[in-house]
Amino acid sequence: MKNISKIGVVAALAAVLSTGVASAQEDQITIGFLPGVVDPFYQVMEIGVEAAVADLGFKLVTQIPPTWGVEVQTPILDAMVARGDIDYLVIAPTDKDQMVGPLLLALETGIKVITVDTFLGDGDYINGPVTFPISYIGSDNVEGGRISARGLAKAIGGTGKVYINSTNPNVSSVEGRAIGFNEVMDNEFPDIEVIGLDFNLDDMNTAVQQTAATLERVPDLVGVFGTNVFSAQGAGTAVVNAGLGGVVSVVAYDATQFAIEQLREGVVSLVLAQKPFDMGYMAVQFAAADAKGVTSLPRRVQTGFAIIDIENVDDPEVARFIYQVPN
Ligand code: T6T
């Protein structure tokens, strides 16, 4: 996969911003926003989308699936397409292969696609099997998995058994996190054993049960990697319920208030904050740029992380990336 230079991104955004006041043509642009599920991560992304839409004077149609999955997201997508007024769709595909077909149908009706947070195919929109989206704007999740592994390894002193709780197969984001995590554990920490991975289907209660079962089955477990909001919250809850807070260390992907509380309590040792506001805001800016005729938009933008631990959690420059959502 190609890395996009910062210069490329800045040039593209400058092209948008230099247009000044939104033109009449831009005013007519309607953005469809279809994230993966209701959760704090996508709520912050929605705030970013709304901010950019307001700044550019666009229209916005948002539909948020109540649960994760192709079977839920596809009919919502079809209904958005059937409206006939969406120009650009900002979507987090819930499966890297199965959402290709439904999105191609949307494309055929003239809707241009920008993927955020998750990608289609292998995410290489230049040379990969899927090239029709304008761009993928999101985290480098393999790298996020590597960061998580090093954080967990440090917390457990570089030795012992650890476990991964994740959401679904074939989702680029969480799949990448597990790949990066396993890669680092295999290559850098010979005394750490990854004993397995469970899929909780994006359900926190399932994550609690799975982690509790693993804690019983593997009494010498010392660490858990929760690959997203629900996985990490479920893992942390199970560890606390078992009275193992501070004994079994949890690394939490996604900076929810819950994860931060557990960091302060010593249950979680590291929280990886993604930048969902940036993903949402930039996706709408990319739509604006494309509509203006910009042809050199980066096909992939990595939005980066804030790595939060007990030492820096109160530093405003770090704390600003904790997901703040309206109650
Ligand atoms: O971790 C995020 C997102 O990046 C992932 O694709 C799905 O789960 C979350 O939305 C958190 O619940």
Side-chain angles (χ1 to χ4, degrees), residues 2-325:
K2 293 200 168 29
N3 283 335
I4 298 305
S5 73
K6 276 188 182 159
I7 295 170
V9 177
V10 170
L13 296 183
V16 178
L17 296 174
S18 68
T19 59
V21 178
S23 71
Q25 191 195 358
E26 280 174 346
D27 280 343
Q28 289 157 10
I29 289 174
T30 299
I31 304 287
F33 177 49
L34 178 46
V37 74
V38 181
D39 72 19
F41 169 85
Y42 289 121
Q43 279 175 281
V44 174
M45 188 185 290
E46 185 181 9
I47 294 169
V49 167
E50 286 173 349
V53 161
D55 287 351
L56 290 160
F58 290 175
K59 292 180 197 147
L60 176 65
V61 177
T62 298
Q63 293 285 329
I64 308 182
T67 53
W68 185 277
V70 172
E71 65 294 342
V72 186
Q73 196 177 41
T74 304
I76 298 175
L77 168 61
D78 292 345
M80 282 176 111
V81 172
R83 293 171 55 99
D85 62 346
I86 308 282
D87 300 298
Y88 289 87
L89 182 68
V90 176
I91 183 168
T94 51
D95 186 291
K96 62 186 185 175
D97 300 315
Q98 290 186 61
M99 288 310 296
V100 172
L103 283 166
L104 276 172
L105 291 177
L107 189 75
E108 274 170 23
T109 72
I111 297 176
K112 292 189 170 182
V113 176
I114 299 168
T115 61
V116 280
D117 173 47
T118 51
F119 54 68
L120 296 169
D122 65 3
D124 180 349
Y125 293 159
I126 299 173
N127 300 309
V130 177
T131 55
F132 66 85
I134 291 174
S135 189
Y136 162 60
I137 305 173
S139 302
D140 178 345
N141 285 298
V142 176
E143 183 58 19
R146 293 186 191 117
I147 294 167
S148 302
R150 291 188 187 114
L152 188 57
K154 187 175 168 201
I156 64 175
T159 183
K161 295 179 182 167
V162 302
Y163 154 76
I164 305 172
N165 195 275
S166 192
T167 62
N168 299 270
N170 227 41
V171 179
S172 71
S173 54
V174 290
E175 186 178 74
R177 294 166 200 173
I179 289 170
F181 184 88
N182 282 323
E183 177 198 295
V184 162
M185 289 310 192
D186 284 351
N187 296 336
E188 299 176 21
F189 298 100
D191 296 330
I192 295 178
E193 183 188 352
V194 183
I195 58 110
L197 177 152
D198 278 325
F199 291 118
N200 59 46
L201 306 184
D202 229 24
D203 178 67
M204 180 178 155
N205 289 331
T206 306
V208 173
Q209 287 163 17
Q210 291 170 333
T211 307
T214 305
L215 289 169
E216 268 200 49
R217 189 167 54 82
V218 188
D220 53 345
L221 194 82
V222 289
V224 185
F225 174 35
T227 69
N228 85 333
V229 168
F230 302 108
S231 318
Q233 291 188 171
T237 301
V239 165
V240 170
N241 289 349
L244 293 170
V247 178
V248 174
S249 196
V250 177
V251 164
Y253 217 98
D254 287 316
T256 59
Q257 300 292 344
F258 187 96
I260 297 299
E261 272 166 36
Q262 289 208 320
L263 176 72
R264 293 188 190 284
E265 289 162 6
V267 176
V268 164
S269 46
L270 181 137
V271 177
L272 206 61
Q274 303 188 75
K275 299 191 178 170
F277 180 94
D278 294 17
M279 296 176 200
Y281 196 93
M282 271 198 273
V284 177
Q285 286 193 312
F286 271 37
D290 182 80
K292 274 287 183 186
V294 174
T295 57
S296 51
L297 285 168
R299 308 300 299 277
R300 176 172 182 160
V301 180
Q302 293 174 357
T303 43
F305 304 102
I307 303 166
I308 308 177
D309 60 21
I310 200 64
E311 306 293 328
N312 68 10
V313 63
D314 292 316
D315 176 348
E317 280 307 307
V318 173
R320 62 192 283 244
F321 294 108
I322 297 170
Y323 305 168
Q324 309 284 352
V325 292

